[in-house]
Amino acid sequence: MLNVAVNACKINMDATQQMDLSKEANNELVFSYLTLRNLIGFGGMLLPVVLAVLPARTSEYNGFEPSISDYFYTDRGDILVVMLCVIGTFLITYKGYTLTERALTFLAGVCGMGVAFVPTKKDCGDCGLSVHTGEGGILPSLNGTGWHFAFAAIFLLSLSFISIFYFTKTKEGEQKLKPDGRRTQKAKRNIVFITCGWIIIGSLAILGVYFIAGFDLKPFPMVYVFETVAVEAFGFAWLVKGQTLWPDGEHYLSRGIREMKQSFN
């Protein structure tokens, strides 16, 4: 009986493996991978926008909060936490092509959640509109400490390194130029990856100088603006990696529409 059960398990495993190979051959697994990249990208790009639209309270910074993190103590606090957790989960589950890339995406995912779970310093009076009463966060003893800034910096730096050093990797023998001398789609994407990565690093450098020098540009939301620039660059890089822009071959939207039409015929 034991041998029969073992053989049955082997048969099921072989069938599953053959099914996965079939999906890979038909690009089904590849397209699901592109979807994950696009979800990370859209989530990143939407985060600052969703938080800032139609605020429920006045602000000393032209209607914005001083930083993205400060939205934790507003009526958008739950949105901030949920979106950071979703982006973090997607990053943790993302499997890169090398161990280092996987480690960086995992680190970025954990730190993204850390930004949500270890909020910034409470600086909004009684925070009457906040969904997070009291101190907020799941680790109150760490709130308002350097841990929050460390999580945020590591989150963005990890994503910049991924964009610059790993998204730009090419397959062996892959050409940067077409026979007519024009750049391939991959070469165009690489320019975007490098640009976005350095925009993130540049934004963090500017904010570092801003904090160290003790500038105060109120009512201009300096921190929010450059955090947004960095987050938008991160999101845009992942959208491009997901081939929403400059795709190889048929765009996934065109492919989906074509397959939908075929299913109705």
Side-chain angles (χ1 to χ4, degrees):
M1 291 293 292
L2 179 61
N3 290 335
V4 172
V6 170
N7 290 332
C9 287
K10 287 182 178 179
I11 292 172
N12 288 334
M13 289 176 64
D14 290 341
T16 301
Q17 186 177 23
Q18 290 298 322
M19 187 181 298
D20 287 343
L21 290 173
S22 174
K23 288 181 178 180
E24 188 170 6
N26 292 319
N27 273 341
E28 291 179 34
L29 294 180
V30 175
F31 278 97
S32 64
Y33 212 46
L34 294 180
T35 300
L36 179 57
R37 292 168 178 165
N38 283 314
L39 288 173
I40 294 172
F42 280 119
M45 295 195 75
L46 285 173
L47 176 61
V49 178
V50 171
L51 294 176
V53 172
L54 299 177
R57 73 180 195 189
T58 59
S59 166
E60 296 177 328
Y61 292 87
N62 294 320
F64 295 93
E65 292 301 312
S67 71
I68 290 177
S69 298
D70 281 293
Y71 279 95
F72 183 88
Y73 294 111
T74 71
D75 60 313
R76 309 298 168 88
D78 51 349
I79 298 176
L80 174 65
V81 171
V82 169
M83 291 190 72
L84 282 174
C85 288
V86 169
I87 293 170
T89 301
F90 286 155
L91 287 167
I92 289 172
T93 57
Y94 181 83
K95 303 299 181 184
Y97 293 106
T98 67
L99 180 61
T100 306
E101 185 183 2
R102 292 172 189 169
L104 282 172
T105 53
F106 181 85
L107 180 63
V110 170
C111 287
M113 291 184 178
V115 173
F117 295 149
V118 181
T120 187
K121 181 180 179 181
K122 184 177 178 181
D123 188 23
C124 58
D126 61 1
C127 302
L129 293 172
S130 174
V131 296
H132 301 284
T133 57
E135 293 299 322
I138 63 171
L139 299 170
S141 62
L142 298 180
N143 290 2
T145 65
W147 278 102
H148 177 83
F149 297 102
F151 281 133
I154 294 171
F155 171 69
L156 290 171
L157 280 175
S158 298
L159 294 168
S160 70
F161 293 158
I162 292 167
S163 185
I164 294 171
F165 298 110
Y166 293 96
F167 281 0
T168 54
K169 287 184 177 295
T170 56
K171 298 176 183 177
E172 187 177 349
E174 191 172 15
Q175 300 298 316
K176 294 183 179 180
L177 297 176
K178 298 178 181 179
D180 59 6
R182 293 184 300 169
R183 289 191 180 93
T184 62
Q185 297 291 74
K186 173 59 176 173
K188 294 176 184 177
R189 294 197 299 269
N190 282 352
I191 294 174
V192 174
F193 299 146
I194 293 171
T195 302
C196 288
W198 282 108
I199 286 175
I200 296 171
I201 294 173
S203 298
L204 290 175
I206 291 171
L207 289 176
V209 172
Y210 179 80
F211 284 122
I212 293 172
F215 292 127
D216 185 3
L217 300 181
K218 191 185 294 185
F220 180 72
M222 179 76 174
V223 179
Y224 173 83
V225 167
F226 280 94
E227 282 181 340
T228 298
V229 170
V231 171
E232 292 296 320
F234 135 61
F236 189 74
W238 280 81
L239 281 182
V240 174
K241 186 63 176 176
Q243 298 192 27
T244 294
L245 299 171
W246 300 288
D248 291 325
E250 185 180 16
H251 196 282
Y252 63 84
L253 289 178
S254 299
R255 179 176 182 268
I257 293 172
R258 175 174 54 80
E259 291 181 350
M260 188 184 302
K261 290 180 178 179
Q262 289 176 350
S263 66
F264 286 111
N265 292 336

